[in-house]
Amino acid sequence: MEIERIILHIDMNAFFASVEQQSNPALRGKPIAVIGAAKRTIVTTCSYEARAFGVKTGMNSWEARQKCPELIFVVGNNRKYTYTSKQIINIMRDYTPLVEVSSIDEAFLDVTGCLSLFGSAQRIALLIKERIRKQLGLTCSVGIAPNKLLAKLASDMQKPDGLTVIETGKVRQVMERVPIQDLCGIGAKMQQHLAKFGIKTCGELGRFPVDILRRNFGVTGEKLHYMGLGMDHSPVIPDEEAEEVKSVGHSTTLESDIAERREILVYLLQLSEMVGRRARKYKVAGRTITLTVRYADFTTFSRQESRSSHTNNSEEIYQASVKILESLELTQAIRLLGVKISNLRHHNEQLPLFPAERKKALLACAMDDVNDKFGDFAVTFGSLLGKETGSKVISPAWRPEGVRNVDVD
Amino acid sequence: MQRIAERVKVAAIFAPGCKVKPVWFEWRRQKHAVVQLSYFWQDCLGNVTRLHFAVSDGSNLFELMFDTSNQNWTLEGIEE
């Protein structure tokens, strides 16, 4: 017989904004929006007081100000948020080793095996909430359910500072009226597709003939059927058991749109160095280099090229991305650039055999040693001197450890 | 927050089992008593760990930073 699992989903409430309100007591109870330091910036997150005025994540600052004239803009401090996130994850790990961090402010916990130690899932949730509040002054919403899908749904039901339990016996009753878009994994497009079949609630999705779903959506059709029934067998996978990463990449939205080749090359070099340095740090090397370009009108495309050998050398990554750039006919100014290596080889510790290659590897190694000691870009390519460097945005793929742990400024 | 980045003199308590707690600091010949420590975080610059403190003297908010490698304090910024 299958053991019934008990999963917690913990979602920090308006995370970056709450951290800023804790840091600066004068901001508490006020509508604030956290923004980036860059010139053209969007709202990264906003306080509940700002949300009441209709301010939302992703709005540009002008739009947000229109919604709420009293809105206070706070330039985010990513290092404060990553430190705080790590503290929160450490608290969670005191209750179960099965913690899957899904982003900087969300995690799943499988507490099935820990109940004899702590009593009940509700007690674990309350203990975690209390410690986060006491140590950091922050609140979170917790969902408790028999699987990840329902735990996530439950945590969204009561915000801020909620605790919602979906018991196994009540799943069907709960799902009956839940709109499909409330389920994690059903976006606006899928919602439109399902609406064509007259499906608007999870109850309707669960009852809909699975054959028709399969015929229209393939493998996803069957998954959708189970989602409608509130079933999800995916395990909680802690970071150390997660699949090895498939790529290492960085992208950046430029301060202003650029069309000059010379300027584009500087950004490519910077991104290549960030990719190379992270790849070398975690001993991975890639054979495929991908360049991503977003035009001013948001048209985005990627082109890739595979090499004959693996590399994590910044200069080689740069040369490959320049080669891809040369093959493109740019029709507009560029808004965003991204460089990625994939087709990875892990545990890449072999020193090249030939003198020229070996020299390059040793040079990169020497630069890494200096940068490990004095900080990223302390020693770098001459053409990057005096330029803004480093990661400015916390990616959704950010994790507290491993190759996905990107140091942000 | 207005960036200051000036070395300052700080009195702090280093108690066993507790985080460092700044008590007062002197900036531009004026002594500010720390009446509230509202937030703490740490980061690394290269291999140097730096401790950051958001503190208030009752009127303004300040960010103090303690560099663990050279044991210097810096007033990083002020929010008036």
Side-chain angles (χ1 to χ4, degrees), chain A residues 9 14 53 58 78 84 100 185 188-189 193 237 252 303 306 309 330 358 383 403:
Chain A
H9 180 253
F53 286 89
N78 290 330
T84 304
E100 179 181 327
K189 271 195 178 164
H193 283 309
I237 304 171
T252 185
R303 297 286 180 273
S306 289
S309 60
L330 299 174
R358 182 180 282 258
S383 42
V403 68

Side-chain angles (χ1 to χ4, degrees), chain A residues 23 79 83-84 372-373 375, chain B residues 38-40 42-44 46-47:
Chain A
S23 292
R79 290 174 171 220
Y83 172 78
T84 304
D372 284 344
K373 188 165 183 187
Chain B
S38 54
Y39 214 73
F40 166 84
Q42 63 185 57
D43 65 8
C44 291
N47 61 7

Side-chain angles (χ1 to χ4, degrees), chain A residues 37-230:
Chain A
K39 259 190 240 161
R40 51 174 173 201
T41 187
I42 55 160
V43 173
T44 315
T45 191
C46 56
S47 63
Y48 282 91
E49 296 83 358
R51 291 176 194 198
F53 286 89
V55 180
K56 285 180 185 161
T57 299
M59 274 183 177
N60 65 46
S61 39
W62 178 84
E63 221 179 336
R65 175 81 79 199
Q66 289 277 307
K67 295 271 180 198
C68 176
E70 298 84 42
L71 189 64
I72 302 165
F73 290 106
V74 180
V75 174
N77 180 333
N78 290 330
R79 290 174 171 220
K80 205 192 284 185
Y81 311 144
T82 50
Y83 172 78
T84 304
S85 179
K86 285 177 189 172
Q87 298 303 300
I88 293 167
I89 293 157
N90 286 342
I91 292 174
M92 295 174 188
R93 286 178 179 158
D94 282 346
Y95 297 90
T96 172
L98 298 177
V99 176
E100 179 181 327
V101 179
S102 45
S103 73
I104 189 160
D105 60 352
E106 276 181 60
F108 290 100
L109 288 72
D110 186 334
V111 297
T112 315
C114 318
L115 299 182
S116 56
L117 286 173
F118 300 104
S120 67
Q122 282 95 322
R123 185 158 179 269
I124 294 173
L126 290 169
L127 287 169
I128 292 174
K129 278 168 78 74
E130 183 52 26
R131 280 185 61 190
I132 293 174
R133 189 198 309 272
K134 213 170 160 190
Q135 279 183 32
L136 303 155
L138 305 172
T139 63
C140 59
S141 289
V142 184
I144 304 175
N147 61 50
K148 284 163 76 176
L149 177 84
L150 293 172
K152 166 94 176 133
L153 181 70
S155 71
D156 283 340
M157 285 176 172
Q158 237 182 301
K159 283 188 171 177
D161 204 15
L163 172 57
T164 308
V165 184
I166 299 179
E167 288 166 14
T168 308
K170 293 194 175 151
V171 173
R172 182 173 287 202
Q173 192 187 326
V174 171
M175 296 303 276
E176 188 55 39
R177 284 165 189 267
V178 171
I180 47 168
Q181 66 269 26
D182 286 5
L183 288 181
C184 180
I186 298 195
K189 271 195 178 164
M190 181 56 79
Q191 194 191 337
Q192 279 173 9
H193 283 309
L194 292 172
K196 285 180 199 156
F197 296 102
I199 302 169
K200 286 191 176 154
T201 66
C202 293
E204 288 163 351
L205 180 60
R207 280 191 296 277
F208 197 79
V210 65
D211 294 353
I212 304 177
L213 289 174
R214 236 185 258 132
R215 220 176 300 140
N216 283 277
F217 303 104
V219 191
T220 312
E222 189 156 325
K223 202 178 166 213
L224 285 168
H225 170 70
Y226 288 120
M227 283 169 85
L229 294 172

